[in-house]
Amino acid sequence: LDTLDRHKSIVPMFISVADMKKRYSHDANTEISTRQPAVVRAWFDRYLRTTWGEDSLRYSMVKQAIEMRRVMFLFDGLEDSGNLAKEIEACIKELIQDMHLVVVTSRPWLCGQYELDTRAEHVMLMRLEPLLDEQKQQIANHRLSYDNTGMDMY
C-alpha cells in the first residue's frame, strides 16, 4: 500500500472473489470459459456494472479510473473461486497485462498451484508464515485490554 502513499490519484478497488463467483450467471456468461481476452474483459465489465449499477455515477467514475490506469485492484480470497478459478485468474492476468496494479490475497491452494504462480515476470508471490504462540498472545492481550484511547473496550 506504499503505492497509495506515493500516488495520490490511485483508487483502491476491493473485489471479493466470493462475490464475483456469487454474481456469476451460467446463462449470461457461458462464453467466459473460452478465456479469450475480449470475452474476459466483457465479463469483468459486466461484473462491475452489476456491482456498481450500470447507470450510476460510481460505475462511470470507476470505468474512467480504469481507463486512466488509476485503479489498484484488490482481489480478496482467490481460494473462494472454486470452479471459476481459471476464469477469475484469466481476468486478473488481463488486468496485469494491461499494466494495472493488482493485489491478490489467497490461502494456500490445496489442488496444486495457481496459474498466476507461474507468471514470475509479472507476479510477486509472498507467503505469510503462521503467527508464533507469543505473537498470538500479544494480539489477544492487546485486543482484550485497552484501545488506543486508554479506555476499557467493554
Side-chain angles (χ1 to χ4, degrees), residues 17-26 29 32-33 35 43 78 80-91 109:
V17 172
D19 184 59
M20 285 183 84
K21 184 179 177 191
K22 182 177 79 172
R23 292 177 189 264
Y24 175 79
S25 166
H26 290 286
N29 297 295
I32 187 64
S33 62
R35 294 186 218 94
W43 177 72
L78 188 58
D80 295 330
S81 58
N83 61 343
L84 287 179
K86 299 287 186 206
E87 289 79 2
I88 292 174
E89 284 188 80
C91 177
W109 191 245

Side-chain angles (χ1 to χ4, degrees), residues 108 127-136 139:
R127 298 197 191 282
L128 300 178
E129 297 294 323
L131 294 173
L132 301 173
D133 288 339
E134 181 181 318
Q135 292 168 322
K136 292 177 190 177
I139 291 170

Side-chain angles (χ1 to χ4, degrees), residues 5-131:
D5 289 336
R6 285 188 277 143
H7 303 283
K8 300 296 183 195
S9 60
I10 297 291
V11 177
M13 180 185 294
F14 178 82
I15 299 171
S16 165
V17 172
D19 184 59
M20 285 183 84
K21 184 179 177 191
K22 182 177 79 172
R23 292 177 189 264
Y24 175 79
S25 166
H26 290 286
D27 298 335
N29 297 295
T30 54
E31 73 278 2
I32 187 64
S33 62
T34 66
R35 294 186 218 94
Q36 295 179 1
V39 174
V40 170
R41 286 186 188 103
W43 177 72
F44 186 60
D45 186 61
R46 192 173 313 131
Y47 166 76
L48 295 174
R49 284 183 286 152
T50 302
T51 303
W52 301 102
E54 187 168 4
D55 297 327
S56 71
L57 290 175
R58 182 177 282 176
Y59 171 74
S60 297
M61 187 275 306
V62 164
K63 206 52 187 154
Q64 183 178 15
I66 291 170
E67 289 171 9
M68 296 174 67
R69 307 282 191 279
R70 300 212 184 271
V71 175
M72 176 186 280
F73 295 94
L74 304 164
F75 286 87
D76 182 48
L78 188 58
E79 75 279 359
D80 295 330
S81 58
N83 61 343
L84 287 179
K86 299 287 186 206
E87 289 79 2
I88 292 174
E89 284 188 80
C91 177
I92 293 168
K93 283 194 298 189
E94 284 301 314
L95 292 169
I96 292 169
Q97 289 174 343
D98 287 345
M99 304 303 291
H100 290 284
L101 298 171
V102 179
V103 174
V104 180
T105 67
S106 179
R107 291 185 178 90
W109 191 245
L110 298 177
C111 301
Q113 73 179 42
Y114 293 111
E115 195 171 313
L116 292 173
D117 290 349
T118 64
R119 314 263 317 170
E121 69 275 9
H122 299 292
V123 176
M124 179 189 305
L125 181 64
M126 295 187 297
R127 298 197 191 282
L128 300 178
E129 297 294 323
L131 294 173

